[in-house]
Each structure stands twice: as C-alpha cells, then as structure tokens.
Amino acid sequence: MSRHNRHIILSEIGQLGQDKLTNAKVLVVGAGGLGCPILQYLAAAGIGTLGIIDFDVVEISNLQRQVLFGTSSLGKNKAEAAKTRLEDLNSEISVIAYAEKLTYQNALELFNNYDIIVDGSDNFETRYLVNDACIITNKPLVFGAIYKFEGQVSVFNYQNGPSYRCLFPNPPQKDAVPNCSEIGVLGVLPGIIGSMQANEVIKIILGIGNVLSGKLLCYNALTSQPSTLKINKSAKQIELVLKGKDNFNKKQLEIDCEFQSDISIKDFLFKDNVQFIDVREAHEQPKVEGLEITQIPLNQLENNLDSIDLSKQKMIFCQSGIRSKQAVSLLRNSGILNCYSIKEGALEIIDFINSRHCEESR
Amino acid sequence: MIITIKYFGLIAEVTNQSEESIDFSGRLISDLLNTLYAKYPDLKNKDFQVAQNQELVSESTEITGQELALLPPFSGG
C-alpha cells in the first residue's frame, strides 16, 4: 500500500494529482503557529519540495500551539527543528530549511525557486514584504493571519487576482496592532487557520475546487462563525509595487523582533548597568524618585541621542507604557540597541519601588 | 434605515461588542464612520476597512446595504 493511497483513491486526485503534489515546490514563511500546521499537512500530503524560512528559535511558550515541536526542540532553530520532524513524517519529500530572516535582499531570489508562497509570519513588515515579493516574482500567495480568537485566510496574486495591498494598502501605524507575544492567542486557532491555508495550497496545485482568491475568509473561533468578504483588485496598488521593483532589494527591514522589547520593572529594578529614561513631558506627575533618571520627552528624543548611555541597558518608561514603546522603536531605528520599554506606567513603578522599600525596612 | 454593523478583532474591543444595529439616515460610508467616531473616539486611531453586504467598499461609497462590517488587519502567526 502506498503512503499517499488515501489521496490516490479519490477520483478528484488520483495518481495524476498525486504526481502534481510530488512535483510542486512550496515555500512557507515562518514556522510558528500557522507555519507548523501548514508544514505538517503539506509534508504529509507529499509536496515534493518544501522550503521553510525562519530565523527564530523554539521557546517553551511556543509549544502551546506550534505542534511540530517538542521539549527536545527547545533552543533549536525553528526551520531546522521543523525539517527534522517533517523528514520523519515523510521521507519521500525534500525539505529545505533556511535558518535566516526573510529580507528585501534574499526574498526575490528565494521566491523564484518556488511555485507557491505561504505566509505564516507574525508581523506586518514581513507580510508586506512577502506580498510585494510575490507580486514582483509573480507567485500566488496563500495568506493567513490571526488575532486572539479570530483568523483571516485568503489567496492573493492568483491568476491576476487581488493582492494583500488591494485589501489593506499600507501597514498600520507601528505598534497599533499588538502581536501574539504581547496579547496571547488561542492555541488551536492557528491550527484551524493554518490547515485552511494548507488546503488552499493543495487546491491550487491540483486545480480542483474554488480557490479563495478575491475573497477574505474571516473565522471566529468563539462563535465558530465564518464570514467571507469580497475583495476587489486595485490595479493601482499592484502597479505601485511593480514600479518599485528595481529598488526592492535596497530596502531595509525596520523591525527587530529578535528579542522581547517589553519588560516589567519587577525584573529590572535592581540590576546594575541600567539607564532609566523618562520620556514624559517635564510637567507630568508623579515624578519617580529613588532612581537615577534621565528625563527626555519623547518629542525631543531624536535630538538628544547623545544623552543615551550606549554602555548601559536602556529602560524607558512613561505614563502608561505607550510612549515608551514608541521611544524604543525610535531608538532602534537610530541604531541604538539594548532598549526596553517598561510596560508599567510611572504610578505603578512608584508603587513597586515603595513596596520594595517597605519589604527591605521590615 | 436600520443597519447592522459587525466588528472584527481589535475593532470589537473598541466598540465592546461584535455586532450592533443602529438606525441610520446618512448617505455615505464616510457619514456612518463619522457617527461611529463620535460614539467610539478610539476608533479614529485604528486601521480598518469597511465591507458592505460582504464586499469591501471605500468611504465614498453610498450606503445601500443593511449589513456592514469593520475589518482590521491581523498580523499574528
């Protein structure tokens, strides 16, 4: 009995269809919550060449939803760890792991080697990079994205259909939409959405059914209700991307999601070699006392970079934790590393310092 | 006219509900948005698209349908 027998005995697939799967080359961007189920089903289905690009390593908090990994994968690169698991799942396919970040410099060359690109990334900058690279290399893009209990699925750039920019022309303002590491996600949700993405990939390769092109499927796991919205193509948006084709590989990624930028005062109050920076306006109360603090209002930060102590870890705070985040991205964009946003506001920081002092004097 | 508005993702958190019906007499999607901005000031800083009768529309589109949806982008993976 052959491995793919249950496909082959379906009249809609047959040996001919299975051969199409064997000859297909699919690249999955990101081996996280979405990437794991996508890769698992594509490998099991016998996609002949499966590429995985991910720079990140497996952490224990990933295991709640990233089902390709186990305790033995902790600390390993996700693309490599996924490859190990997938080769065990299906030894008849070729799995290629790219343990690196997808960038404007490597995207076009990489995409050219594949027939279909699947987006399982976790940030807007990569999503727009993937979309634009798919337009330039003329590859269909199987898109999926999640937020808490809700997911979106679509197929872009398929047979002259709309692209992601036809739906959302530009990325939202920075930090406007939090990601999973900040807000949490129902573990099974990426399993559902990623499986839907794998299904679209297989339909495209086999040429059966209706591909989810020109439509956005929205799924709510709490109500189990799907709704499908029609997306119209915007020739203008696609032309804009094509116009930027020659400068594409000169662009730079701005985000730096390789380390967590949000931290709690509880973890850092008594560490050495720290510069605390208050980015509130001078008149804002209450003042934080008992710590050495550099005061630079957010709107003057850019002109006061020389007040930043490059030899120290920068802990930035404000009234509520929002401006401090903006300050971190501003500093990072200026090439200053080791900047963290304290998620607590000034009042909570003071409360924490006071409670620690009480404990010490007891 | 009574219209039903569905809210997705972050937008449902701003409006504190996933769906509501309102009696609305304005002409354009932009008129409806202004009404919603007055009701939910935080909506102004959010990115979203509007769908009317399951089709994405622009702010200058006339309101013809009875079901609208406010749809934000998701980035999570």
Side-chain angles (χ1 to χ4, degrees):
Chain A
M1 184 83 67
S2 93
R3 171 187 289 271
H4 303 116
N5 169 272
R6 297 298 188 276
H7 269 164
I8 295 165
I9 59 177
L10 286 169
S11 60
E12 292 83 354
I13 299 180
Q15 187 59 52
L16 203 67
Q18 192 58 48
D19 290 346
K20 286 182 188 169
L21 296 175
T22 306
N23 292 327
K25 296 177 180 175
V26 178
L27 176 71
V28 179
V29 178
L34 292 172
C36 283
I38 296 166
L39 287 162
Q40 190 165 25
Y41 278 107
L42 294 183
I47 301 292
T49 307
L50 205 44
I52 316 163
I53 180 163
D54 202 318
F55 67 89
D56 208 0
V57 296
V58 182
E59 291 173 33
I60 192 145
S61 65
N62 298 150
L63 303 184
Q64 166 253 21
R65 63 195 180 286
Q66 301 184 13
V67 292
L68 282 181
F69 311 127
T71 311
S72 63
S73 329
L74 294 177
K76 291 188 180 149
N77 170 267
K78 287 187 181 177
E80 304 278 5
K83 177 181 155 85
T84 308
R85 167 71 190 116
L86 297 173
E87 282 175 339
D88 184 42
L89 178 62
N90 191 343
S91 55
E92 295 173 22
I93 63 170
S94 154
V95 183
I96 305 163
Y98 306 92
E100 58 190 288
K101 200 168 189 161
L102 185 76
T103 64
Y104 286 96
Q105 286 67 48
N106 61 18
L108 299 184
E109 199 184 331
L110 188 61
F111 285 19
N112 271 325
N113 295 327
Y114 292 87
D115 309 320
I116 299 172
I117 313 300
V118 191
D119 186 1
S121 67
D122 65 356
N123 62 82
F124 284 115
E125 204 174 17
T126 305
R127 292 187 177 281
Y128 280 85
L129 159 60
V130 169
N131 178 73
D132 295 354
C134 282
I135 291 176
I136 292 171
T137 56
N138 194 22
K139 305 286 174 182
L141 164 59
V142 179
F143 168 91
I146 50 175
Y147 179 80
K148 291 187 179 177
F149 298 94
E150 291 175 62
Q152 299 174 339
V153 189
S154 187
V155 176
F156 294 120
N157 209 39
Y158 177 69
Q159 295 180 346
N160 286 315
S163 76
Y164 187 51
R165 283 191 193 268
C166 305
L167 171 61
F168 296 110
N170 293 301
Q173 306 139 12
K174 284 235 177 72
D175 304 325
V177 183
N179 66 34
C180 296
S181 59
E182 289 162 0
I183 52 161
V185 61
L186 179 72
V188 69
L189 177 70
I192 296 169
I193 301 298
S195 299
M196 287 184 181
Q197 288 178 271
N199 183 41
E200 293 304 316
V201 171
I202 287 170
K203 286 192 295 181
I204 293 172
I205 297 168
L206 296 175
I208 59 173
N210 300 314
V211 171
L212 204 54
S213 168
K215 290 175 214 151
L216 182 76
L217 190 150
C218 306
Y219 178 78
N220 185 326
L222 291 181
T223 59
S224 299
Q225 245 178 14
S227 40
T228 308
L229 305 174
K230 191 171 165 235
I231 310 167
N232 291 312
K233 182 173 170 176
S234 160
K236 192 184 98 189
Q237 290 299 334
I238 294 172
E239 264 167 42
L240 270 175
V241 173
L242 288 171
K243 264 189 192 163
K245 189 179 169 179
D246 294 339
N247 289 320
F248 188 84
N249 62 4
K250 298 185 189 86
K251 288 193 187 175
Q252 290 293 332
L253 286 171
E254 285 177 10
I255 46 150
D256 180 2
C257 44
E258 284 179 58
F259 59 91
Q260 186 83 16
S261 66
D262 263 42
I263 55 127
S264 170
I265 183 71
K266 298 174 180 115
D267 302 324
F268 273 87
L269 186 56
F270 298 104
K271 288 218 166 139
D272 296 330
N273 205 31
V274 168
Q275 180 185 27
F276 286 95
I277 303 171
D278 182 351
V279 291
R280 295 179 299 165
E281 301 295 317
H283 61 82
E284 282 180 82
Q285 297 292 340
K287 294 284 168 221
V288 176
E289 284 164 1
L291 285 177
E292 197 179 311
I293 286 165
T294 311
Q295 178 111 32
I296 317 172
L298 179 61
N299 59 14
Q300 292 166 32
L301 189 60
E302 211 162 1
N303 299 321
N304 284 284
L305 294 179
D306 46 3
S307 311
I308 310 288
D309 189 338
L310 297 179
S311 67
K312 292 183 174 170
Q313 292 194 316
K314 275 72 70 183
M315 299 297 149
I316 302 164
F317 70 91
C318 60
Q319 204 75 335
S320 67
I322 293 172
R323 276 175 286 172
S324 56
K325 248 185 195 179
Q326 295 168 334
V328 165
S329 54
L330 188 150
L331 292 175
R332 282 203 201 152
N333 288 343
S334 310
I336 297 175
L337 299 176
N338 296 318
C339 309
Y340 301 86
S341 163
I342 300 180
K343 66 183 180 195
E344 292 91 355
L347 199 61
E348 291 164 283
I349 294 174
I350 293 169
D351 282 349
F352 182 70
I353 295 172
N354 290 341
S355 71
R356 291 305 296 252
H357 284 161
C358 289
E359 271 173 40
E360 278 168 25
S361 56
R362 222 174 267 157
Chain B
M1 175 167 63
I2 303 288
I3 54 178
T4 301
I5 313 168
K6 287 186 169 181
Y7 303 114
F8 291 90
L10 257 177
I11 306 296
E13 287 166 30
V14 172
T15 62
N16 214 13
Q17 54 197 337
S18 59
E19 191 176 320
E20 70 176 322
S21 291
I22 61 169
D23 192 0
F24 187 72
S25 55
R27 196 169 70 88
L28 303 178
I29 298 288
S30 55
D31 299 330
L32 175 69
L33 290 180
N34 285 330
T35 303
L36 293 177
Y37 291 151
K39 198 171 173 185
Y40 310 109
D42 286 349
L43 213 53
K44 269 189 206 160
N45 326 317
K46 303 294 177 215
D47 294 273
F48 59 85
Q49 294 293 328
V50 181
Q52 170 163 253
N53 291 343
Q54 287 82 45
E55 178 165 358
L56 286 142
V57 291
S58 76
E59 292 195 5
S60 57
T61 306
E62 283 200 30
I63 297 182
T64 55
Q66 276 154 22
E67 190 181 304
L68 286 104
L70 267 54
L71 183 84
F74 297 166
S75 68

